[in-house]
């Protein structure tokens, strides 16, 4: 059998566009696989797109109703046996993920007399190795990025998706998931995160305008925040630098609403700057409540705005929702805002889902609340589950 390090060496030596071909060769020659398929999750996280002769890929599979989708959702291998004696076959669907960021599913077919359950750990190691190499390969080939799209992205959406850190991530202290809608024609909403040994920095923003103008504004603000963060500035310094960058470019004609948060991984203390319309809801011990913050001016509205931090604390078991106004302000056909009653139901209904699946589920409930009314704004949902550290001091609510 192929040792994991052997597979990793084979993938590292392959050209970026040849990764899938190399994986097929490994699984066929060393594990006896009859067929192999790689299914990339699309931008809306509703379909699994086959990586074949792009752009003419075969029919996609549903994330919700297919066997491969079951492996994608549960993030566990799903084995399906099919066929009568003599022609029986087994298909193993394996999640392809990196540090909680769900990328794809690797489906591997075997003759029934070839497959053994003892292969499962090694097959998952192969899928994990492929996940890491896909992330690296995306710097040098469009193959996998093309496979993610069910239709053409607008230029603004292309810019926004390239700006994101991922759609989910996991660490012992927390799990994160985020989603933007409409996925293929988004405007100015975005999110960003970065973790160090002791802190998680999270930003969610709602840019002014639409199309290319909104995407350029968001790119400027997020890039300024990253520049300040990587220079070692604190949260106030990050907000101030981004504020100056946006004002310097637009002179107050355009601005950007943003929440900036810095979590201490050891204590659960959170520094927050509320610079606009994105808002926070918390699910704690079955109770849903909005977290009220002191609203400050959006980035770039005026020259030399002074920002101050507020402090709150999260407890192990807390679930936080970060939502744009394109979610909580959406009205039903009868005029009822989503945040009035429907949002609480959506948060409660998704309490058993992992954060990587929650944003998609909340957005689907939002679509049901909106009915036939056409969406007029971006909808952004970011979900964070806080676990904390076992050795952290006992928190006080």
């Amino acid at each position: 059998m192929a040792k994991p390090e052997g597979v990793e060496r084979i993938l590292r030596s392959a050209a970026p566009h040849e990764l899938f071909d190399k994986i097929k060769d490994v699984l066929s020659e060393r594990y006896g696989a009859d067929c192999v398929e790689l299914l990339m999750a699309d931008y809306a996280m509703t379909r699994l797109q086959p990586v074949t002769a792009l752009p003419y890929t075969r029919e996609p599979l549903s994330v919700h109703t297919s066997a491969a989708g079951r492996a994608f959702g549960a993030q566990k291998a799903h084995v399906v046996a099919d066929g009568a004696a003599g022609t029986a076959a087994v298909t193993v669907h394996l999640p392809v993920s990196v540090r909680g960021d769900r990328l794809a599913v690797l489906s591997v077919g075997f003759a029934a007399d070839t497959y053994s359950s003892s292969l499962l750990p090694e097959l998952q190691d192969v899928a994990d190795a492929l996940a890491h190499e896909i992330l690296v390969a995306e710097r040098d080939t469009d193959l996998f990025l093309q496979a993610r799209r069910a239709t053409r992205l607008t230029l603004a959406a292309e810019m926004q998706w390239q700006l994101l850190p991922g759609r989910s991530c996991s660490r012992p202290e927390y799990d994160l998931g985020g989603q933007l809608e409409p996925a293929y024609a988004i405007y100015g909403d975005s999110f960003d995160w970065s973790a160090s040994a002791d802190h998680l920095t999270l930003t969610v923003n709602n840019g002014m305008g639409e199309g290319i103008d909104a995407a350029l504004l968001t790119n400027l603000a997020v890039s300024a925040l990253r520049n300040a963060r990587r220079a070692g500035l604190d949260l106030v310094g990050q907000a101030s630098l981004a504020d100056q960058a946006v004002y310097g470019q637009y002179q107050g004609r355009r601005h950007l609403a943003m929440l900036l948060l810095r979590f201490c991984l050891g204590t659960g203390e959170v520094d927050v700057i509320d610079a606009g319309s994105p808002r926070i809801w918390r699910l704690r011990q079955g109770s849903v409540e909005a977290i009220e913050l002191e609203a400050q001016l959006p980035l770039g509205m005026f020259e030399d705005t002074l920002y101050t931090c507020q402090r709150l604390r999260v407890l192990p078991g807390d679930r936080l929702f970060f939502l744009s106004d394109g979610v909580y302000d959406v009205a039903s056909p009868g005029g009822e805002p989503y945040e009035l009653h429907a949002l609480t139901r959506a948060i409660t209904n998704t309490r058993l889902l992992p954060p990587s699946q929650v944003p998609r589920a909340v957005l689907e409930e939002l679509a049901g609340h909106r009915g036939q009314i056409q969406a007029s704004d971006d909808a952004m949902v970011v979900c964070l589950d806080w676990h904390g550290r076992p050795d952290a001091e006992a928190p006080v609510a």
Side-chain angles (χ1 to χ4, degrees):
M1 296 301 173
K3 297 298 182 183
E5 59 270 19
V7 174
E8 292 170 359
R9 186 165 54 251
I10 291 170
L11 293 177
R12 283 198 300 268
S13 64
H17 64 278
E18 293 179 336
L19 286 179
F20 181 46
D21 292 332
K22 293 297 183 181
I23 281 291
K24 287 196 294 185
D25 291 344
V26 167
L27 292 170
S28 174
E29 296 170 6
R30 304 190 185 186
Y31 290 91
D34 290 335
C35 60
V36 181
E37 190 165 46
L38 178 62
L39 302 152
M40 300 293 297
D42 88 310
Y43 286 98
M45 300 290 277
T46 60
R47 313 204 310 183
L48 294 170
Q49 304 270 124
V51 178
T52 53
L54 294 166
Y56 306 105
T57 58
R58 289 190 283 142
E59 285 300 310
L61 301 178
S62 169
V63 164
H64 306 295
T65 61
S66 65
R70 180 171 172 177
F72 184 78
Q75 286 297 285
K76 293 182 180 179
H78 179 53
V79 181
V80 179
D82 187 34
T87 61
V90 173
T91 303
V92 182
H93 302 285
L94 303 150
V96 179
S97 305
V98 180
R99 293 189 172 92
D101 192 9
R102 304 180 301 162
L103 305 178
V105 173
L106 183 65
S107 297
V108 188
F110 298 90
D113 58 358
T114 302
Y115 175 75
S116 167
S117 59
S118 62
L119 292 177
L120 205 53
E122 287 193 33
L123 292 174
Q124 187 60 63
D125 286 340
V126 171
D128 292 342
L130 176 60
H132 283 272
E133 292 304 319
I134 286 175
L135 284 186
V136 175
E138 285 182 347
R139 299 180 307 179
D140 301 312
T141 180
D142 289 333
L143 177 68
F144 303 105
L145 292 172
Q146 281 181 298
R148 290 186 180 189
R149 51 200 70 192
T151 186
R152 183 173 178 175
L153 272 69
T154 64
L155 177 55
E158 187 86 48
M159 295 168 67
Q160 295 292 84
W161 282 111
Q162 291 298 307
L163 194 63
L164 297 180
R167 286 177 287 185
S168 54
C169 72
S170 295
R171 275 188 57 171
E173 298 88 354
Y174 61 84
D175 291 293
L176 262 170
Q179 181 66 24
L180 301 175
E181 287 291 334
Y184 292 87
I186 54 180
Y187 302 113
D189 288 6
S190 185
F191 53 83
D192 194 24
W193 56 62
S194 177
S196 65
D198 298 311
H199 295 92
L200 165 68
T201 301
L202 171 66
T203 61
V204 290
N205 63 265
N206 183 359
M208 179 182 178
E210 60 183 52
I212 295 297
D213 288 338
L216 289 171
L217 172 62
T218 299
N219 269 260
L220 173 61
V222 172
S223 296
L225 287 166
R226 288 175 175 173
N227 177 258
R229 186 182 72 227
R230 293 164 185 171
L233 300 186
D234 62 12
L235 209 62
V236 169
Q238 294 172 35
S240 297
L241 190 147
D243 173 64
Q244 293 166 18
V246 174
Y247 185 84
Q249 181 66 28
Y250 295 103
Q251 301 298 303
R253 297 186 303 275
R254 292 188 175 274
H255 48 79
L256 183 133
M258 180 171 285
L259 270 172
L260 299 89
L261 305 100
R262 189 170 186 259
F263 295 78
C264 178
L265 300 181
T267 66
E269 292 184 334
V270 190
D271 289 330
V272 187
I273 295 176
D274 179 358
S277 60
R279 292 171 55 189
I280 310 174
W281 274 259
R282 179 176 61 204
L283 175 63
R284 174 179 286 175
Q285 297 180 347
S287 177
V288 179
E289 62 177 327
I291 296 180
E292 301 297 335
L293 298 169
E294 179 186 346
Q296 301 178 64
L297 292 173
L299 304 182
M301 181 171 281
F302 298 105
E303 188 174 12
D304 296 327
T305 300
L306 298 177
Y307 292 98
T308 59
C309 280
Q310 296 175 254
R311 180 158 290 186
L312 56 90
R313 192 166 195 171
V314 288
L315 307 180
D318 281 356
R319 170 168 283 186
L320 301 181
F321 288 78
F322 307 91
L323 309 175
S324 67
D325 56 4
V327 176
Y328 62 78
D329 267 351
V330 169
S332 69
E336 178 182 300
Y338 191 57
E339 67 173 311
L340 190 58
H341 299 295
L343 177 58
T344 297
R345 288 197 298 271
I347 289 175
T348 303
N349 290 344
T350 60
R351 67 191 183 280
L352 299 180
L353 294 177
S356 57
Q357 297 183 46
V358 167
R360 176 76 265 159
V362 170
L363 289 169
E364 287 175 355
E365 296 214 14
L366 174 66
H369 174 81
R370 185 171 53 232
Q372 298 302 312
I373 300 173
Q374 184 69 29
S376 59
D377 195 5
D378 282 354
M380 176 187 62
V381 178
V382 176
C383 177
L384 181 148
D385 275 3
W386 185 259
H387 312 304
R389 287 179 175 169
D391 58 349
E393 60 183 271
V396 177

